[in-house]
Amino acid sequence: MSEPGRELWKKLPINHLSTPIRPAATALSVAAAVARFPGVVTERPSPPGEAVVSVDAAHWAEVARWLHDEAGFEFLSDLCGVDWPHRRPRFEVVCTVTDLRTPARIRVVVGVDGEPPAVPSVTGIWPGANWFEREAYDMFGIVFEGHPDLTRILMPDEWEGYPLRKDYSVGKVPVEYKHLSPGH
């Protein structure tokens, strides 16, 4: 780590890698979100010490802005897509955000349907969401409306389909193995 990086690290109120999440702080944050957005944010069953909420896709951008600006969840640690082919909505965007001051962490699940499935981008709120959203687009075909560069990030540009969708045919692409040992 560079010297300026070390100095910045020392100024952080906590070391987010070693300080445990406080369930009480997380519970208060969940209660505040549910109260602030009745009928839009709902608490989901989750393992002890974890907090999971569902957010209506139509209100995701508004809830994300509130989580960041007012509730203090300034760090987005993960965002991914999930495909549930026998559920409605079929897709979910799962986002994990952390308030490094308290510390508290909430997993937010946004149900996404439609063809193509679409949800507002949160790159304007958490810039770190950029590549996560591109990966979810590339692998699942989830469109993040308002994303500054929603292009493939893992697959070639000419690739057809979305490899992590449950209905994607694995045998569709022939695999070639080339013998690399000398003399063969």
Side-chain angles (χ1 to χ4, degrees):
M1 183 181 295
S2 67
E3 193 55 39
R6 280 190 217 327
E7 291 305 310
L8 178 61
W9 187 256
K10 290 177 188 175
K11 292 178 184 177
L12 287 173
I14 63 166
N15 177 339
H16 77 281
L17 298 176
S18 62
T19 303
I21 297 299
R22 295 185 184 150
T26 299
L28 287 173
S29 299
V30 168
V34 170
R36 171 69 173 81
F37 298 96
V40 172
V41 176
T42 55
E43 189 169 3
R44 292 174 65 150
S46 56
E50 293 188 25
V52 182
V53 296
S54 290
V55 175
D56 181 78
H59 299 278
W60 170 224
E62 178 187 8
V63 172
R65 175 61 64 196
W66 179 84
L67 283 167
H68 181 274
D69 293 353
E70 296 180 39
F73 288 87
E74 295 179 349
F75 179 60
L76 178 137
S77 59
D78 190 31
L79 183 149
C80 64
V82 181
D83 182 7
W84 301 102
H86 303 294
R87 292 188 190 174
R88 290 296 168 256
R90 175 178 172 174
F91 297 97
E92 291 177 339
V93 171
V94 181
C95 184
T96 304
V97 293
T98 305
D99 176 347
L100 297 173
R101 294 165 297 136
T102 55
R105 179 175 46 233
I106 297 177
R107 183 174 304 125
V108 181
V109 179
V110 183
V112 186
D113 230 342
E115 195 49 52
V119 66
S121 172
V122 293
T123 56
I125 300 166
W126 294 289
N130 188 324
W131 285 16
F132 289 129
E133 289 182 352
R134 287 180 61 194
E135 181 182 14
Y137 165 71
D138 198 4
M139 297 289 107
F140 294 96
I142 299 170
V143 174
F144 292 87
E145 296 168 337
H147 190 282
D149 183 28
L150 194 61
T151 55
R152 289 195 179 271
I153 191 168
L154 299 172
M155 304 304 290
D157 290 339
E158 64 277 358
W159 193 269
E160 292 182 22
Y162 304 102
L164 291 184
R165 284 190 178 191
K166 298 284 180 13
D167 57 3
Y168 186 80
S169 176
V170 175
K172 186 174 172 180
V173 179
V175 178
E176 287 186 35
Y177 295 97
K178 298 186 182 206
H179 196 67
L180 300 177
S181 62
H184 289 91

